Amino acid sequence: MNVYDTSFMIRELSRLNYEETTILENSDLVIVNTCTIRDKAEQKAFSFLGRLSRMKKKKPELIIGVGGCVAQQEGKKVLKRAPLVDIVFGTHAVGRLSKLVQQFEFTRRPIVDVKMATEIIENQFEEENIPIEGFTEEAVTGFVTIMRGCDNYCTYCVVPYVRGRETSRRPENIVSEIKSLVKKGLREVTLLGQNVNSYGLKGGKCSFPELLQKINNIDGLQRIRFATSHPKDLSDELIFALRDLEKLCNHMHLPVQSGSNNILEKMNRKYSRELYLKKVDKLRTACPDIAITTDIITGFPGETESDFQQTLDLIKTVEFDSLFGFIYSDRPNAIATDFSDKISEKEKKNRLNQILDLQKKYSKKKNMAMIGKTELILVEGLSKMQKKGDMRNGSKDFQWSGRTSTNKIVNFVMEECSSCNNNIKGKMVEVIIEKAFSHSLWGKTKENENLYHCVKGEKDNAA
Ligand code: 5AD
Ligand code: SF4
């Protein structure tokens, strides 16, 4: 979501003739787009602001802006903790960034804009309807926000306080934004929202599965992903959409957070372990090869050893494709911050390591099962290895990287192809999987299949 918001900030700043630079020391203006979901993210933001402040002491004309959730949460207090900051703008002020920077250039006085009124949200969405012009980079994959905010109030979570109430964008604006990105080379879109399953329910817009159908009809778009789904709102319609819409990827990120009913209740998640497992079964019945991934928090206040064992047991029962594990941290305004029975940092870490160790086995097992299979990969670009110039086995072949429909990273080699000059970024190619690691797969394009990617590529371009 911050990556997406950052692209809007860049657009806003380009109105004032600012250009991106990759060299921090050369910049006249630096915007730090912050995250406050966990304590660590907030600490990182302030330590980076410390570095910028040292830069500004040597270069007083440097303008420093702080946006995103830390700005929204801390408001004026950001200026106390980092006095050399010039502009603090909250999550709903992204559409006003160029005005704020202009104002600062004129007055050279610190500005704090963290207003979050409903009418401002609507105005911002109106602004978002302006097609994104001036973006020339040819990204194969990209994000589009379909809704903002959250009404769920999980007791550990800061999002409802920093992103505000849930608001869905209009389907026609989402579709037209994706169409304009596809014209610039986008092949895969990830739709973003805190809880995409409740898209459109407030305000009488179309449902999420209906939105997916509209996006599935966009010519030239190859793949659709989405994040994140709340298990309580995962509907049968969405499961059928996953089964039936050919562009919708075979992957569901379904954060469970804990395997214990006692903790789920304290987290205000509004589903039980049993309901979660039932939804997983339904997903696998409709889409047998679907990849399921999750988020888990360790050391939520009051989590006993037996609660934790139930989380380990749930991981064994579901056999997730991968998981993101997080150590619980208190967040400002979140209800659980006032809960007693806090777990020690040492124990929280110990539990995190246990879930990560356990998951490693299942990730490897799932990846191993793919060896020998042919997978359709959307090529995102040269592999990291190739970019670093580190070619395995001294081979001259090109090393590319892309993902399967199930969101697994595949690095693969392709022999030099004289017909297409190996220009396969953004193309769909078939790759035979040869090796499996915990976090990625390795393969090669099907033999004598060079013609395949050229022909397929021409088809894509024609579309
Ligand atoms: N502490 C630890 N993890 C958290 N998450 C959200 N809030 C907290 C918190 N206070 C995790 C949840 C969520 C993911 C994005 O971040 O697992 O799904
Ligand atoms: Fe936070 Fe819960 Fe909303 Fe997710 S659903 S953003 S965890 S409050």
Side-chain angles (χ1 to χ4, degrees), residues 148-341:
R148 288 175 187 268
C150 183
D151 292 346
N152 284 312
Y153 292 95
C154 301
T155 55
Y156 52 81
C157 187
V158 74
V159 168
Y161 308 99
V162 288
R163 291 266 173 186
R165 297 286 60 73
E166 186 181 294
T167 322
S168 299
R169 292 179 65 195
R170 284 194 217 105
E172 59 275 21
N173 294 337
I174 297 167
V175 168
S176 75
E177 184 177 336
I178 298 172
K179 278 185 178 166
S180 83
L181 292 170
V182 167
K183 272 196 204 142
K184 293 180 175 128
L186 189 88
R187 291 293 169 262
E188 175 185 295
V189 68
T190 302
L191 308 173
L192 298 175
Q194 305 297 344
N195 179 13
V196 293
N197 304 125
S198 57
Y199 170 85
L201 297 184
K202 248 163 84 173
K205 303 192 174 78
C206 70
S207 70
F208 184 54
E210 284 164 348
L211 177 70
L212 288 171
Q213 176 69 65
K214 290 180 207 285
I215 297 172
N216 196 64
N217 291 341
I218 296 177
D219 285 341
L221 185 70
Q222 300 271 13
R223 283 180 166 177
I224 307 166
R225 301 187 187 277
F226 57 84
T228 283
S229 295
H230 195 306
K232 79 177 163 61
D233 296 317
L234 172 57
S235 63
D236 288 352
E237 288 71 33
L238 181 57
I239 295 176
F240 298 145
L242 279 159
R243 183 191 60 193
D244 300 334
L245 297 181
E246 70 282 4
K247 292 182 186 173
L248 200 49
C249 286
N250 208 10
H251 171 214
M252 168 65 81
H253 185 64
L254 200 60
V256 65
Q257 314 297 0
S258 167
S260 150
N261 281 337
N262 171 36
I263 296 297
L264 287 173
E265 178 143 12
K266 286 189 180 161
M267 287 177 163
N268 191 32
R269 289 291 287 175
K270 303 192 187 92
Y271 55 84
S272 62
R273 170 195 175 95
E274 291 72 26
L275 186 72
Y276 185 90
L277 291 174
K278 205 164 140 192
K279 299 227 173 178
V280 167
D281 273 349
K282 270 193 179 176
L283 272 167
R284 287 189 168 146
T285 307
C287 318
D289 297 325
I290 194 163
I292 302 180
T293 56
T294 201
D295 291 346
I296 288 178
I297 296 177
T298 61
F300 184 80
E303 184 187 66
T304 61
E305 182 55 34
S306 134
D307 291 322
F308 177 62
Q309 287 301 326
Q310 288 174 56
T311 299
L312 291 177
D313 185 72
L314 183 124
I315 296 171
K316 290 177 197 159
T317 309
V318 177
E319 299 197 2
F320 293 104
D321 287 73
S322 71
L323 67 74
F324 296 99
F326 305 106
I327 287 177
Y328 169 81
S329 58
D330 284 341
R331 305 311 298 128
N333 298 311
I335 298 161
T337 301
D338 295 330
F339 287 1
S340 52
D341 298 330

Side-chain angles (χ1 to χ4, degrees), residues 66-106:
V66 181
C69 291
V70 173
Q72 188 65 49
Q73 175 189 292
E74 297 293 302
K76 267 195 259 174
K77 283 190 258 166
V78 172
L79 299 178
K80 281 217 171 110
R81 284 175 74 177
L84 293 185
V85 165
D86 302 304
I87 304 167
V88 179
F89 62 105
T91 49
H92 292 184
V94 179
R96 295 190 293 275
L97 181 59
S98 58
K99 287 186 199 125
L100 297 175
V101 171
Q102 241 173 350
Q103 189 188 326
F104 180 79
E105 285 172 339
F106 191 64

Side-chain angles (χ1 to χ4, degrees), residues 13-116:
L13 293 170
S14 68
R15 290 181 188 187
L16 304 179
N17 289 329
Y18 279 97
E19 280 173 9
E20 272 184 274
T21 171
T22 50
I23 305 163
L24 184 64
E25 282 66 26
N26 284 355
S27 43
D28 304 306
L29 168 102
V30 180
I31 303 289
V32 187
N33 191 10
T34 59
C35 171
T36 183
I37 190 82
R38 287 172 296 277
D39 186 48
K40 207 168 152 190
E42 187 178 332
Q43 299 311 327
K44 265 194 198 168
F46 279 105
S47 96
F48 185 63
L49 284 174
R51 182 174 160 199
L52 289 180
S53 299
R54 287 192 291 281
M55 252 175 75
K56 186 163 172 157
K57 280 187 188 141
K58 288 192 207 139
K59 185 178 171 183
E61 67 280 13
L62 175 71
I63 303 174
I64 305 177
V66 181
C69 291
V70 173
Q72 188 65 49
Q73 175 189 292
E74 297 293 302
K76 267 195 259 174
K77 283 190 258 166
V78 172
L79 299 178
K80 281 217 171 110
R81 284 175 74 177
L84 293 185
V85 165
D86 302 304
I87 304 167
V88 179
F89 62 105
T91 49
H92 292 184
V94 179
R96 295 190 293 275
L97 181 59
S98 58
K99 287 186 199 125
L100 297 175
V101 171
Q102 241 173 350
Q103 189 188 326
F104 180 79
E105 285 172 339
F106 191 64
T107 63
R108 299 301 286 191
R109 290 229 175 101
I111 300 170
V112 177
D113 178 353
V114 290
K115 285 181 234 86
M116 240 213 301

